[in-house]
Amino acid sequence: MTSTPLPRLRMLSFGYAHGAPPSGMWLVWDLRALLVDPAHTLDDLQRQRTGLDPVIAAHVVTTPGALEVAAATVAALNVLRRRVGGGPAVIGWGCTGGRHRSVAMAEHLAVAAQVAGWVVNVAHRDLHRPVLAS
């Protein structure tokens, strides 16, 4: 009996201020216009944290519009599942600096994708870069 391999998904967060998203993305969310930048609402200490920090992640995920983006992504996963061949589907998450919104949303949706049966790899291209001046 052969089993069907689980579909593979790669989530990549990045900051547009540090360059265009890499080619080969199946879907790219530009969060700059979709979600309020938490860097404008956080104090200086919080701004130094990233979307991996539970407080910052919760702040991003509860931003108006975030749950709609998450629901649309889960719906897109159902379409991608039927189209994935040998390589992984790739979803990009972009914000201004690549430290807050894109990171939190990529991590949040990675969990949802795993629950839906995907093998997920998450990478954060610009997480190591300094916070941009506001």
Side-chain angles (χ1 to χ4, degrees):
M1 180 163 111
T2 60
S3 63
T4 304
L6 294 175
R8 295 183 302 138
L9 178 65
R10 183 167 183 241
M11 297 275 189
L12 174 68
S13 74
F14 64 92
Y16 283 97
H18 304 296
S23 62
M25 301 273 187
W26 291 42
L27 172 66
V28 177
W29 284 104
D30 184 345
L31 299 173
R32 294 174 295 179
L34 293 173
L35 303 180
V36 174
D37 187 351
H40 298 302
T41 60
L42 302 173
D43 64 40
D44 287 338
L45 181 60
Q46 289 176 320
R47 287 183 67 235
Q48 298 304 315
R49 297 178 181 173
T50 71
L52 296 176
D53 182 291
V55 171
I56 304 305
H59 182 82
V60 170
V61 172
T62 59
T63 298
L67 294 180
E68 293 165 320
V69 170
T73 305
V74 169
L77 288 174
N78 292 327
V79 173
L80 293 175
R81 183 185 301 275
R82 295 189 300 269
R83 301 289 183 234
V84 171
V90 183
I91 298 179
W93 298 90
C95 62
T96 304
R99 292 179 45 89
H100 300 110
R101 291 171 288 182
S102 62
V103 171
M105 290 299 287
E107 293 288 338
H108 180 72
L109 269 299
V111 172
Q114 288 170 337
V115 168
W118 291 79
V119 174
V120 182
N121 173 274
V122 182
H124 303 294
R125 185 186 79 181
D126 301 315
L127 185 67
H128 67 284
R129 296 183 185 268
V131 175
L132 298 173
S134 56

